[in-house]
Amino acid sequence: DAKTTQPNSMESNEEEPVHLPCNHSTISGTDYIHWYRQLPSQGPEYVIHGLTSNVNNRMASLAIAEDRKSSTLILHRATLRDAAVYYCIPRNNTDKLIFGTGTRLQVFP
Amino acid sequence: NAGVMQNPRHLVRRRGQEARLRCSPMKGHSHVYWYRQLPEEGLKFMVYLQKENIIDESGMPKERFSAEFPKEGPSILRIQQVVRGDSAAYFCASSPIGGTGYNEQFFGPGTRLTVL
């Protein structure tokens, strides 16, 4: 399983963009990169995933480095509801999600 | 389409009792996963089931814990003779497909087990 490194915490102001980095230098060529988040007292929630190309959905954008050893989750305009722990999870044809310690994002009004 | 449902949301047991946690996957989902989150710790995979079969139980403690996903009805995570160290939030997730690296897992709200 690929190891990940994420900042323990980050802060943002409302309405500002947030870039959440993840280092996964041991990722294999067929690992998808998933991002989940966990809001306080709730279950995890899928955010986005990608393989090689950058991806966009209604929640966020995922920028994947050309060598795939790192990726960045981009929240274009943070809201108070985006305050959560964000997990970057490389995944290769396995059904289990292996959660690291994630990044705790605080959003200030 | 209702999301993943778990019940009870909160469960209190005394040491030595049994705990039964139920998970109803989303409609049409035949793949169920259980995860545990100990206080101040990260989420850990426990077991993956597909209707009537255990596919991967590599994260399950060897004793006292069992899981099932019968043909009809919810998935059950059963903890026998609970100890204080079992106090945690237990999350269930479901997916319409398995065996890939890209399928999304949909999580329930969790059951918070407290062992007195």
Side-chain angles (χ1 to χ4, degrees):
Chain A
D1 302 320
K3 295 218 179 289
T4 60
T5 303
Q6 297 180 253
N8 287 335
S9 63
M10 292 185 66
E11 298 178 352
S12 174
N13 294 317
E14 246 188 321
E15 304 295 311
E16 289 184 354
V18 181
H19 290 231
L20 297 162
C22 180
N23 181 291
H24 33 76
S25 58
T26 60
I27 197 169
S28 75
T30 52
D31 282 0
Y32 284 84
I33 300 158
H34 288 248
W35 284 80
Y36 281 74
R37 71 180 184 181
Q38 187 175 22
L39 278 65
S41 301
Q42 296 189 29
E45 174 186 33
Y46 167 83
V47 179
I48 200 167
H49 78 272
L51 184 60
T52 55
S53 304
N54 294 344
V55 184
N56 301 295
N57 67 19
R58 63 175 179 80
M59 290 180 69
S61 295
L62 177 59
I64 301 172
E66 197 169 331
D67 63 6
R68 296 195 354 108
K69 294 185 177 181
S70 65
S71 61
T72 302
L73 180 70
I74 302 165
L75 307 180
H76 295 284
R77 292 178 66 189
T79 69
L80 295 178
R81 195 195 172 276
D82 291 323
V85 179
Y86 287 78
Y87 298 97
C88 159
I89 305 173
R91 196 171 156 210
N92 178 17
N93 286 339
T94 177
D95 285 279
K96 56 187 176 186
L97 295 171
I98 299 174
F99 291 84
T101 54
T103 296
R104 183 174 299 277
L105 175 66
Q106 289 182 282
V107 180
F108 298 105
Chain B
N1 189 6
V4 176
M5 298 177 68
Q6 291 188 248
N7 65 81
R9 294 291 307 276
H10 299 272
L11 181 61
V12 179
R13 284 287 177 265
R14 296 193 179 278
R15 280 178 297 167
Q17 291 184 318
E18 178 180 286
R20 279 182 180 247
L21 288 62
R22 288 177 291 277
C23 168
S24 296
M26 288 180 68
K27 186 176 180 180
H29 289 195
S30 59
H31 300 258
V32 164
Y33 315 83
W34 286 92
Y35 295 83
R36 177 167 69 171
Q37 188 167 33
L38 294 165
E40 306 304 322
E41 292 190 22
L43 288 138
K44 303 290 184 190
F45 167 81
M46 298 182 76
V47 62
Y48 160 41
L49 309 102
Q50 185 185 1
K51 278 293 184 180
E52 299 184 273
N53 293 304
I54 295 174
I55 308 300
D56 181 351
E57 56 181 348
S58 58
M60 285 277 272
K62 293 288 183 279
E63 297 178 349
R64 302 188 297 108
F65 284 73
S66 61
E68 63 177 11
F69 187 18
K71 187 176 180 182
E72 302 290 338
S75 175
I76 306 287
L77 179 68
R78 182 182 177 206
I79 312 172
Q80 294 178 289
Q81 299 176 326
V82 296
V83 301
R84 289 215 173 104
D86 296 331
S87 295
Y90 292 82
F91 294 98
C92 165
S94 74
S95 178
I97 58 173
T100 76
Y102 55 80
N103 57 300
E104 176 184 348
Q105 292 185 14
F106 298 81
F107 282 79
T111 293
R112 279 149 185 83
L113 172 67
T114 301
V115 180
L116 301 177

